[in-house]
């Protein structure tokens, strides 16, 4: 089981999308060339609240228990509010990649997400957070296509 950072201890956070792209200047033409390696991820800068001695020791024990840089923990971003009662969709087909995902099993014919909303895919160590880039509504059969950033890192499992 992966430990979870208590969000009650977070006083501020900053989230930004990082990309594995580099810009170089051609020595022959002087133009900038972009190499996009396809990697995208969220980077966080988290500031913890000033704590009293008991809470401070609890936080210290949490980070010590991770074992340094090799440790992992879950962080449920408190600035992300889950959408209201839209149901729980599932992945439609395990062959998908990129910035779009075919889904099913939503409530029928209703708005699901607005541009800027977030959703998660996966469990525990494979859980990833994505941000919707276009408004999404389900069709009459409960199907919907999600478009988002960052790109999928691995192919999701059907269902």
């Amino acid at each position: 089981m992966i430990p979870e950072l208590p969000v009650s201890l977070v006083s501020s956070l900053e989230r930004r999308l990082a990309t594995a792209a580099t810009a170089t200047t051609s020595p022959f033409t002087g133009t900038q060339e972009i190499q996009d390696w396809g990697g995208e991820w969220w980077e966080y800068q988290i500031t913890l609240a000033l704590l009293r001695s008991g809470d401070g020791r609890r936080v210290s024990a949490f980070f010590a228990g991770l074992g340094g840089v090799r440790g992992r923990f879950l962080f449920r971003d408190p600035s992300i509010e889950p959408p209201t009662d839209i149901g729980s969709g599932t992945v439609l087909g395990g062959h998908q990649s990129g910035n779009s995902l075919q889904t099913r099993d939503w409530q029928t014919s209703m708005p699901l997400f607005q541009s800027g909303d977030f959703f998660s895919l996966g469990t525990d160590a494979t859980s990833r957070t994505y941000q919707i880039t276009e408004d999404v509504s389900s069709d009459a059969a409960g199907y919907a296509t999600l478009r988002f950033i960052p790109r999928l890192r691995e192919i999701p499992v059907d269902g």
Side-chain angles (χ1 to χ4, degrees):
M1 183 169 148
I2 298 177
E4 185 171 338
L5 178 67
V7 295
S8 61
L9 303 176
V10 174
S11 67
S12 70
L13 66 89
E14 187 177 316
R15 175 187 349 95
R16 76 175 190 91
L17 181 67
T19 61
T22 56
T24 58
T25 303
S26 168
F28 305 106
T29 64
T31 59
Q32 287 250 313
E33 298 172 353
I34 305 294
Q35 291 183 327
D36 186 351
W37 301 101
E40 298 172 328
W41 60 92
W42 295 112
E43 289 186 348
Y44 280 87
Q45 180 170 341
I46 301 169
T47 304
L48 298 178
L50 290 174
L51 304 170
R52 294 195 171 123
S53 62
D55 289 336
R57 285 191 304 271
R58 195 178 93 198
V59 170
S60 175
F62 173 83
F63 286 113
L66 294 175
V69 296
R70 69 182 176 277
R72 291 181 169 201
F73 65 92
L74 291 178
F75 175 66
R76 298 191 196 287
D77 186 335
S79 69
I80 297 174
E81 293 184 27
T84 56
D85 188 24
I86 59 172
S88 180
T90 57
V91 174
L92 175 62
H95 58 280
Q96 302 180 65
S97 62
N99 290 83
S100 132
L101 189 65
Q102 301 291 320
T103 60
R104 64 175 181 242
D105 300 330
W106 298 102
Q107 293 181 18
T108 59
S109 302
M110 71 174 294
L112 300 174
F113 297 100
Q114 291 183 339
S115 178
D117 286 347
F118 289 85
F119 72 98
S120 292
L121 188 62
T123 57
D124 293 331
T126 63
S127 180
R128 304 275 186 256
T129 300
Y130 301 94
Q131 186 173 30
I132 298 292
T133 58
E134 296 177 8
D135 292 351
V136 180
S137 293
S138 59
D139 66 14
Y143 291 84
T145 300
L146 310 180
R147 289 184 174 59
F148 51 85
I149 54 172
R151 293 174 236 192
L152 291 169
R153 284 191 181 183
E154 45 196 47
I155 295 173
V157 177
D158 182 40

